[in-house]
Every structure is written in structure tokens, then in C-alpha cells.
Amino acid sequence: RRQIVFQDPYSSLDRRQTAEDGLHEILSVHFAMLRQARTARIATLMDQVGLSVREAGALPSALSGGQRQRVAIMRALALEPELLVLDEAVSALDVCVQAQILNLLAELRAELGLTYLFVSHDLAVVAQISERILVLRQGKVVDSGATSDVLEGPKHAYTQMLIDSVPGPGWQPSRRLH
């Protein structure tokens, strides 16, 4: 199974439905579970993504961008995927919230044994989350391999341009969070 988490969780969430209600609906459609079992599963998911009962009971408009992204991740995890596709999943978040979500993703990968397909133009983010990298330009692969190998010795000018575009003084591709 695979699930996707989009860049803008607000557009993928039902604006009239709380995260908890949405999860009850997802679980009742995809799994034969009694309400009590769904409630327990939702509590586990909330704990895994770091959401409180208040946040899970709020409408998307009452949540911050980071909280909405946690809800989107929680919804994807509800279906017990083996592969999670993250399409620019942190690009709309400020740097502090990005770091929190990236740390959460690293924890979830370790805890649940997930595989990520992480789509991003931000190589600083890619360096933090990825073990392997594939650089595409106009739909064609221009660089691929272990993340550190590609970022420290790019084979294509486009990859070098992406590396050079990372903001911040003294960023080094080898400086990773994990």
C-alpha cells in the first residue's frame, strides 16, 4: 500500500470535518473495526504524530500549517502504508516547523519501517531525510545514488545549481540531521 502527503494539507482536508471525524470515516471504510477499536487506533495515531485531543477535534481552519501537515500524515498512516509519498510536504512550512516535521518523519520511519518517496527542490531538506537521491531535470534522470555521493560530487550542472541554490551561509551537503 502507498499513501501521499501533499504540500498544502489544507486543500486535501475536509474544511467541515475534524481530523478525528475524518479518521473515523477512513477507518470505517477501509477496516472492519468497531467504534471503540477505531477510537483506540486514532489515539495511537495522534500520539505517533504528536497531536493532542484538542487539535484532533479542531477543524482545519483552527490549526497551524504544521498541525495540518501532522493531520495529513496521520491520515496517510491510518491506512498502514508501506510507502509514503511526500510531495513537497514541508516546503510551505517555516524552517522551525520544517525541522519538527522532518524529525517526526525520521521517527516514524524508524518506528514503523516506512519507505519514503520524498519529492522536493530543496536539497537541504533532501539531505536531512534521504538515504538515496534521484535528481530529475525535465523528466529525465541527471544524477542518482547515495545522497552524500550525489550532493558531494554532483555529475550534472543542474544538480550543482540546486546545491548552490540552498540558502544559508556555509551549508554543506554532508551536514545532515541524522
Side-chain angles (χ1 to χ4, degrees), residues 10-51:
Y10 193 65
S11 63
S12 67
L13 299 174
D14 185 336
R15 295 177 181 143
R16 299 161 297 171
Q17 190 176 51
T18 68
E20 185 174 13
D21 289 341
L23 282 171
H24 272 290
E25 184 177 315
I26 289 167
L27 293 173
S28 67
V29 167
H30 293 278
F31 299 99
M33 300 173 103
L34 297 175
R35 183 166 184 82
Q36 184 178 10
R38 287 194 314 265
T39 300
R41 175 77 175 125
I42 291 168
T44 298
L45 288 164
M46 288 169 32
D47 186 52
Q48 286 176 321
V49 300
L51 284 177

Side-chain angles (χ1 to χ4, degrees), residues 86-102:
L86 298 134
D87 185 9
E88 296 282 1
V90 296
S91 64
L93 305 173
D94 68 51
V95 175
C96 292
V97 177
Q98 268 189 9
Q100 292 171 3
I101 297 297
L102 290 171

Side-chain angles (χ1 to χ4, degrees), residues 111-173:
E111 179 183 338
L112 302 174
L114 293 169
T115 299
Y116 295 141
L117 174 60
F118 198 88
V119 179
S120 180
H121 289 87
D122 186 340
L123 291 189
V125 168
V126 170
Q128 292 176 33
I129 194 80
S130 302
E131 295 171 7
R132 297 192 54 76
I133 186 172
L134 187 75
V135 179
L136 299 174
R137 181 166 191 224
Q138 297 176 339
K140 296 194 184 330
V141 176
V142 296
D143 245 325
S144 66
T147 301
S148 58
D149 293 345
V150 172
L151 296 182
E152 291 172 11
K155 294 181 176 101
H156 195 276
Y158 180 70
T159 306
Q160 186 62 56
M161 184 192 74
L162 289 173
I163 292 168
D164 293 343
S165 72
V166 173
W171 180 79
Q172 297 294 320

Side-chain angles (χ1 to χ4, degrees), residues 8-10 13 60-73:
D8 178 16
Y10 193 65
L13 299 174
S61 61
L63 300 173
S64 70
Q67 290 167 333
R68 288 182 198 140
Q69 200 59 288
R70 288 174 189 271
V71 169
I73 292 167

